[in-house]
Amino acid sequence: MRKGSIKRATKETDIEVELDLDGRGKATISTGIGFLDHMLDLLARHSRIDITVKAKGDLHVDHHHTTEDVAIALGQAMKQALGDMKGITRYADAHMPMDETLTRVALDISGRPVLVFKVEFVRDKVGTFDTELVSEWFRAFAMNSGMTLHVETLYGGNDHHIAESCFKGLARALRAAIAIDSRAADEIPSTKGSLGG
């Protein structure tokens, strides 16, 4: 049962997250930010991870705190669900086309959090959502899940497509990396015998 559940409450946000790594991609998402809801729905669908997010935040200020704190909670739930990481494939990458955009995502579920994010947006916003928050979401998710994550948009011109290709690319790479390798189901995938540092 590879499941994670996190509750995070601050003066800025109140968040509940649940996920099931062995789900079917079911998403129940409510953050109050339509674009973020859309990206998290894509993440669940294409990773086949069941994700539930209930978030209330200080949206009268802006979308920053809610976006970042949702990623923190999702990352922590991911780390919890992975446990000792026994049997996982660990490494994966994906090239994700989205119309005119192509993004490459590579990750290592290593326990050593690193984000390399080479993505440029054309405009400051997609609708009311600040495009700079895409990198903030990925940073918070990588740091709190404990994964090494590289995201690079090779080319693209539509900001919605660029963001979508990043989230879908993460989803497909996660789907492969968290899969249990039947040939090594009882092994931690490291010559050290442990992951996390």
Side-chain angles (χ1 to χ4, degrees):
M1 300 293 287
R2 299 191 301 165
K3 296 182 178 182
S5 178
I6 295 292
K7 293 184 179 181
R8 175 183 170 86
T10 70
K11 292 182 179 179
E12 298 166 341
T13 61
D14 189 353
I15 296 168
E16 294 182 28
V17 166
E18 294 179 3
L19 57 79
D20 181 353
L21 300 184
D22 301 304
R24 300 180 58 84
K26 181 181 176 184
T28 306
I29 311 292
S30 178
T31 67
I33 304 170
F35 188 74
L36 181 59
D37 288 358
H38 178 42
M39 294 299 106
L40 297 179
D41 183 56
L42 296 171
L43 179 65
R45 179 74 55 89
H46 294 285
S47 67
R48 308 305 290 173
I49 299 170
D50 289 345
I51 299 175
T52 299
V53 177
K54 298 176 185 176
K56 293 182 180 179
D58 55 359
L59 300 183
H60 63 285
V61 176
D62 65 9
H63 294 164
H64 189 284
H65 298 142
T66 301
T67 300
E68 183 177 33
D69 287 6
V70 164
I72 289 170
L74 272 170
Q76 290 172 348
M78 174 73 64
K79 188 172 185 178
Q80 183 184 91
L82 284 164
D84 64 6
M85 297 176 259
K86 187 177 289 185
I88 64 168
T89 302
R90 179 177 168 180
Y91 299 98
D93 63 89
H95 280 81
M96 182 54 60
M98 180 66 199
D99 295 352
E100 84 299 338
T101 297
L102 182 64
T103 296
R104 174 174 54 214
V105 177
L107 61 84
D108 173 14
I109 301 176
S110 61
R112 297 186 305 276
V114 174
L115 175 67
V116 177
F117 193 81
K118 295 184 177 182
V119 179
E120 293 185 13
F121 290 95
V122 180
R123 294 173 289 132
D124 293 335
K125 290 182 181 288
V126 176
T128 60
F129 188 81
D130 294 327
T131 50
E132 68 180 10
L133 294 181
V134 176
S135 64
E136 292 298 323
W137 188 93
F138 274 83
R139 183 172 295 105
F141 179 76
M143 295 303 117
N144 286 275
S145 63
M147 73 176 59
T148 299
L149 179 57
H150 294 252
V151 182
E152 181 177 15
T153 296
L154 304 178
Y155 45 82
N158 179 294
D159 287 329
H160 188 124
H161 295 166
I162 291 169
E164 190 164 326
S165 68
C166 292
F167 277 89
K168 282 183 174 177
L170 172 62
R172 293 300 296 200
L174 273 175
R175 183 174 176 174
I178 66 174
I180 299 299
D181 181 347
S182 61
R183 295 177 299 168
D186 295 322
E187 300 173 15
I188 293 173
S190 171
T191 54
K192 297 177 184 177
S194 66
L195 289 169

